[in-house]
């Protein structure tokens, strides 16, 4: 699938007036997002959550006929599993680890003294066996592999998790903690590619029904460093990742709201996940950024949910 460009994209985005309040300011002013003092770390209002929940249900309805197995993991995952997954090869800069105090009374006194004097107290913290989940599908692969070889029809999972990425930003669409809904398919290359193709269509139809201008584009993950450049180029050249982009912060740099990823046998080899015939399993996932889609709706239809177009309200709450 090549690029579907959308000529109306340019017309439907109200650019922020120079020097006026930004989209993020307006979201704070309307109480839709709540400041915490940290860029990319926000509270959400009831209205914001009502959209997230409606999207979550809509995505469930779109996938209902496929009978995906639902699993929900907490936003932290096993550190050994995370290390084995290879995430640190590609994205060391985005990873978040959980550290805790494991010391004694003297260590405790030292922490309190540090806090009191404004010195760094985190020297006392030690890495635990928990890291923050970087994408909803990461905790799934070891669990799926532990079940043994896939059945002939493969497997399909339905996931949702808060995810952490250390990418603080003033763009409201780039949060450090956000929710990702995913469907993950495991099986033969044909099975997982057919899955990805069907979600490219369904995702596009869903976003059109929500009244959002969009374009599907080939994409790459932001692999770290110089070696990462090559990985990113390969990923693009092989068409392994597509994004569904909606102009939110700007028309020139639209925002990826959905992504469609073919991992080939990367996770299958990493986790020794096999197909029924013994060959290494292939995997693909479709990811929905629940806050990003919500923000796209707020940008295009306005900050007052009650005033959204009837068709959009119907699609969400009808
Ligand atoms: P981008 O290129 O914008 O960084 P991505 O390629 O990192 O996006 P994926 O890794 O494919 O995104 O994640 C799946 C989905 O999760 C994205 O399509 C997006 O909707 C959402 N997402 C990713 N990063 C963030 C973030 N920092 N804040 C909010 N949502 C995000
Ligand atoms: Zn995934
Ligand atoms: Mg990213």
């Amino acid at each position: 699938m090549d690029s579907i460009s959308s000529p109306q994209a340019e017309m439907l985005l109200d650019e922020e007036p120079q020097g006026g309040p930004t989209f993020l300011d307006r979201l704070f002013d309307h109480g839709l997002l709540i400041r915490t003092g940290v860029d990319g770390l926000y509270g959400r209002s009831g209205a914001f959550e009502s959209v997230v929940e409606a999207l979550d249900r809509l995505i469930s309805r779109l996938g209902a006929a496929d009978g995906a197995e639902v699993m929900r993991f907490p936003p932290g995952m096993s550190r050994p599993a995370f290390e084995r997954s290879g995430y640190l090869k590609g994205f060391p800069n985005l990873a978040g680890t959980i550290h805790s105090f494991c010391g004694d009374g003297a260590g405790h006194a030292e922490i309190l003294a540090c806090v009191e004097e404004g010195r760094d107290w985190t020297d006392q913290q030690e890495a635990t066996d928990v890291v923050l989940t970087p994408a909803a599908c990461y905790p799934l692969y070891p669990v799926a592999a532990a079940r043994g070889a896939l059945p002939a029809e493969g497997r399909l999972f339905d996931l949702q998790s808060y995810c952490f990425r250390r990418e603080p930003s003033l763009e409201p669409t780039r949060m450090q903690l956000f929710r990702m809904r995913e469907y993950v398919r495991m099986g033969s290359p044909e099975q997982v590619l057919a899955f990805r193709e069907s979600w490219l269509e369904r995702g596009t139809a869903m976003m059109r029904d929500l009244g959002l201008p969009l374009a599907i584009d080939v994409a790459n993950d932001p692999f770290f460093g110089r070696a990462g450049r090559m990985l990113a180029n390969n990923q693009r050249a092989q068409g392994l990742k597509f994004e569904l982009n909606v102009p939110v912060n700007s028309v020139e740099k639209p925002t990826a709201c959905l992504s469609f990823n073919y991992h080939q046998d990367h996770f299958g080899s990493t986790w020794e996940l096999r197909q029924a015939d013994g060959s290494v399993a292939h995997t693909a996932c479709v990811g929905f950024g629940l806050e990003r889609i919500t923000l796209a709706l707020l940008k295009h239809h306005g900050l007052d949910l009650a005033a959204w177009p009837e068709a959009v309200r119907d699609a969400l709450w009808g």
Side-chain angles (χ1 to χ4, degrees), residues 31 96 184 289:
V184 183

Short mmCIF file of all heavy atoms in Angstrom, two decimals, residues 31 96 184 289:
data_model
loop_
_atom_site.label_atom_id
_atom_site.label_comp_id
_atom_site.label_asym_id
_atom_site.label_seq_id
_atom_site.Cartn_x
_atom_site.Cartn_y
_atom_site.Cartn_z
N GLY A 31 -9.47 22.57 30.79
CA GLY A 31 -9.43 21.50 31.79
C GLY A 31 -9.40 20.10 31.20
O GLY A 31 -9.52 19.12 31.93
N GLY A 96 12.46 3.57 30.21
CA GLY A 96 12.32 4.00 31.60
C GLY A 96 12.41 2.80 32.52
O GLY A 96 11.81 1.75 32.25
N VAL A 184 -2.47 -7.80 18.11
CA VAL A 184 -1.21 -8.43 17.73
C VAL A 184 -1.51 -9.78 17.10
O VAL A 184 -2.24 -10.60 17.68
CB VAL A 184 -0.29 -8.64 18.95
CG1 VAL A 184 1.04 -9.24 18.52
CG2 VAL A 184 -0.07 -7.33 19.69
N GLY A 289 -3.05 5.02 19.19
CA GLY A 289 -2.70 5.94 20.26
C GLY A 289 -3.98 6.60 20.76
O GLY A 289 -4.55 7.46 20.09
#
